[in-house]
Amino acid sequence: MKHTLWLLFFVCSLALGADTGWYAGAGWGPHHWNKGGSKYGVFGGYQLTSNWGAEVGLTDVGIAEGVEVSGVFSYPVIKNLDVYAKAGAFINVHTLTDPSLIYGLGASYKLTKSVGLRGQVQRYVDVGGKDLNALTGAVVFKF
């Protein structure tokens, strides 16, 4: 997993000179709040329009490590604050079994033009035979 995380950071760093739609971040948070597990990972994406984006991430949800691929719809609420919904798939990198459905809701706040904070609630359906709920906080860097 460590090598894959570094690869994602490298790929995202290549976007530094690219269009301003690129972003990358890292997050952590509890999953299955009553059982004390945690979720962490890194992600990167591209904001296709003012409302639509695509995102890829490497995530460890405690019982599995995998790749997330999601579509993201965001909507501005007030200056610097957006709410968003995302949906996609989680693929376990160790078993490469059928993708699991993921979906969630969140909010992002822009601290500056290039740095923001994000909070989200996300559901992982049938990962390792279990459904997981995760509450995640993240730092996002926009290029």
Side-chain angles (χ1 to χ4, degrees):
M1 178 78 173
K2 289 179 185 176
H3 292 86
T4 334
L5 294 175
W6 283 112
L7 178 62
L8 182 64
F9 276 125
F10 174 73
V11 169
C12 290
S13 69
L14 294 177
L16 283 172
D19 189 12
T20 58
W22 291 100
Y23 62 90
W28 176 89
H31 74 72
H32 255 89
W33 300 298
N34 57 347
K35 297 188 179 165
S38 64
K39 169 199 177 230
Y40 62 90
V42 295
F43 56 90
Y46 188 77
Q47 193 68 34
L48 301 166
T49 69
S50 60
N51 296 108
W52 291 99
E55 193 169 287
V56 174
L58 298 171
T59 305
D60 185 328
V61 292
I63 60 171
E65 296 174 340
V67 176
E68 291 185 23
V69 180
S70 304
V72 182
F73 176 79
S74 59
Y75 186 79
V77 178
I78 58 172
K79 184 178 179 182
N80 296 331
L81 179 67
D82 291 355
V83 293
Y84 64 88
K86 64 190 295 186
F90 176 86
I91 303 162
N92 186 324
V93 295
H94 297 293
T95 62
L96 298 176
T97 57
D98 293 333
S100 301
L101 173 67
I102 56 174
Y103 56 91
L105 298 171
S108 62
Y109 184 77
K110 296 173 195 144
L111 299 171
T112 69
K113 287 184 180 182
S114 59
V115 179
L117 298 176
R118 193 190 245 197
Q120 72 180 17
V121 176
Q122 192 164 330
R123 176 108 171 147
Y124 294 79
V125 179
D126 194 24
V127 175
K130 298 181 180 182
D131 292 346
L132 303 173
N133 297 312
L135 176 64
T136 310
V139 176
V140 181
F141 301 95
K142 191 165 176 107
F143 306 115

